[in-house]
Amino acid sequence: MYKTITFLVSGNGGTLKFLYYAIELLKLPFEIKMVISDRNCGALEFAQVNNICSKVINYSKNNDLELIEEFEKLETDIIITNIHKILTPKVLSSIKADFINLHYSLLPAFGGLIGMKTVDEAKKQNCQFIGATCHEVTEMLDGGKILTQGLYSVDWSVEVEKIYDKVFKIACICFLNGLMTKYFSDKI
């Protein structure tokens, strides 16, 4: 039994690409059904090149109607929230699907920050460990049930781009582990 996935995206699509290739290589029980973006971006281009249904919509906290209308037409099991926007409660209740997010910190640390801003904040606070959290999305920002976390002991003397890269890689593994644990724990 496959679970269908829709990605909400705004960026280059690193997580989308990782999951796409992991599904293909490992013959995982997921199918990426759709990519919805709030702008032209690398994730959208990847979807188009790989024949994944895709669409650009206009979305903001004050303008959620187009996304809600798109969800009403969509049949999907899981929505991955890699969009650089906070989803409204109305959006979250508009479709019967699980919303999953990948956050580049060990929640609850740095909740509410987007992308690698979490790493920058961890550096300011001289955190000794950094990582990622795969969690369910609820109306409470970054407050949903934690599915998995990954971490490592950070050396802040390393150039920040290498730290970003390592956090991203840990996040991808954490994300895949979170999906497999939530949906197929009886099979792993």
Side-chain angles (χ1 to χ4, degrees):
M1 173 193 235
Y2 281 77
K3 294 288 185 183
T4 57
I5 296 174
T6 296
F7 270 83
L8 299 181
V9 299
S10 293
N12 199 33
T15 307
L16 166 66
K17 294 171 189 176
F18 170 81
L19 188 59
Y20 176 86
Y21 291 120
I23 290 168
E24 187 176 278
L25 181 66
L26 301 172
K27 308 291 185 230
L28 297 176
F30 298 105
E31 175 192 357
I32 300 172
K33 187 171 186 169
M34 177 129 190
V35 173
I36 300 172
S37 181
D38 66 339
R39 64 191 82 178
N40 288 319
C41 61
L44 190 66
E45 291 171 21
F46 180 83
Q48 292 165 346
V49 166
N50 289 283
N51 298 314
I52 301 168
C53 186
S54 60
K55 184 169 188 171
V56 177
I57 55 126
N58 184 15
Y59 176 77
S60 68
K61 269 190 339 188
N62 300 321
N63 183 14
D64 59 8
L65 186 59
E66 191 174 353
L67 182 56
I68 290 169
E69 288 173 350
E70 195 61 39
F71 280 176
E72 288 171 354
K73 297 183 264 180
L74 188 63
E75 290 184 29
T76 192
D77 299 308
I78 306 163
I79 297 174
I80 307 301
T81 61
N82 284 152
I83 194 166
H84 297 170
K85 305 250 169 76
I86 297 168
L87 299 177
T88 65
K90 202 167 156 186
V91 167
L92 294 174
S93 66
S94 69
I95 185 171
K96 187 177 175 75
D98 294 328
F99 287 80
I100 305 292
N101 187 39
L102 182 60
H103 192 80
Y104 295 131
S105 80
L106 299 171
L107 287 174
F110 313 120
L113 295 180
I114 294 175
M116 292 298 172
K117 291 177 183 173
T118 56
V119 174
D120 299 336
E121 190 60 33
K123 183 175 182 176
K124 285 181 197 170
Q125 295 188 29
N126 196 31
C127 293
Q128 299 303 298
F129 295 92
I130 59 173
T133 303
C134 178
H135 68 97
E136 295 175 355
V137 176
T138 63
E139 289 183 24
M140 183 173 30
L141 182 61
D142 291 329
K145 178 183 175 188
I146 292 174
L147 301 175
T148 55
Q149 291 183 303
L151 71 126
Y152 80 100
S153 176
V154 66
D155 175 0
W156 293 115
S157 67
V158 174
E159 64 184 80
V160 74
E161 288 76 21
K162 288 183 180 179
I163 294 171
Y164 290 162
D165 184 61
K166 193 166 187 175
V167 168
F168 171 74
K169 288 174 181 170
I170 287 170
C172 285
I173 299 301
C174 178
F175 175 60
L176 181 57
N177 188 19
L179 289 175
M180 291 301 294
T181 300
K182 180 167 176 68
Y183 299 103
F184 298 103
S185 62
D186 59 328
K187 295 184 178 21
I188 48 176

